[in-house]
Amino acid sequence: MKLTSIALSFGLAASAAAAPGVGVNGDTCADALVVGLGANAFDSTGNTDSGFHDPSCVSRDGFEDIWFTYTAAASGNTTFETCGSAYDTVIRVLEGPDCATLTCLAGNDDACATSTGTNFASQLNVSVVGGQQYLIQVEGWSAGAVGAGTLDISQALGDDCTDAVRVV
């Protein structure tokens, strides 16, 4: 199996200078930041609790969060992780026609080490459909758990004829 991960820079670092209680880009589902395969840097400093919680996915009540939107490049198993983050995260991958009608596909808490070495970052695998849009919610495990992080997205591609990668 060949793991394809393409580093893309979208200039996603949010401003840490936001006024207290005022969110920054990605603070709600409606203003989710666009991300792609590879390392997607973010900063949730200044974000608030968007109010979206789905205990069937991760049985943790939410705190400050940041939202992303990802359109799958191809169908297949995709890994979403915050292992390079500086704080304790919880992650959910969701789908739906809009922010009011979301279904949680998978969620995780505490799967890998954060950049501080503690085992409190999140990682999960989801089977995605090429061209389909997914929403990713990354929230702090506790009140005030915010800061710099990286949402890494990778996908196994080209391991059989059903997901062969065409290079032009």
Side-chain angles (χ1 to χ4, degrees):
M1 174 179 4
K2 180 179 177 184
L3 185 64
T4 302
S5 183
I6 304 167
L8 301 173
S9 175
F10 290 95
L12 296 178
S15 170
V22 177
V24 295
N25 283 337
D27 193 33
T28 66
C29 175
D31 69 349
L33 300 167
V34 176
V35 293
L37 290 173
N40 299 277
F42 67 86
D43 190 332
S44 63
T45 304
N47 280 26
T48 60
D49 178 357
S50 68
F52 178 84
H53 308 291
D54 186 344
S56 69
C57 197
V58 175
S59 63
R60 184 81 189 144
D61 280 339
F63 293 96
E64 294 90 338
D65 55 8
I66 189 165
W67 288 82
F68 305 94
T69 182
Y70 167 71
T71 301
S75 296
N77 190 40
T78 303
T79 302
F80 299 86
E81 64 180 55
T82 59
C83 299
S85 298
Y87 66 100
D88 190 349
T89 64
V90 176
I91 189 171
R92 290 179 182 91
V93 175
L94 309 123
E95 68 178 348
D98 55 54
C99 292
T101 314
L102 294 173
T103 300
C104 189
L105 299 177
N108 181 260
D109 179 25
D110 298 346
C112 53
T114 65
S115 61
T116 62
T118 57
N119 191 34
F120 297 136
S122 306
Q123 180 183 55
L124 52 83
N125 294 305
V126 177
S127 180
V128 299
V129 176
Q132 175 78 32
Q133 181 176 313
Y134 298 89
L135 287 157
I136 301 119
Q137 179 192 34
V138 175
E139 59 187 351
W141 186 84
S142 60
V146 295
T150 304
L151 174 62
D152 287 306
I153 304 173
S154 59
Q155 187 174 39
L157 297 174
D159 58 344
D160 64 31
C161 65
T162 63
D163 63 359
V165 177
R166 180 175 180 213
V167 178
V168 287

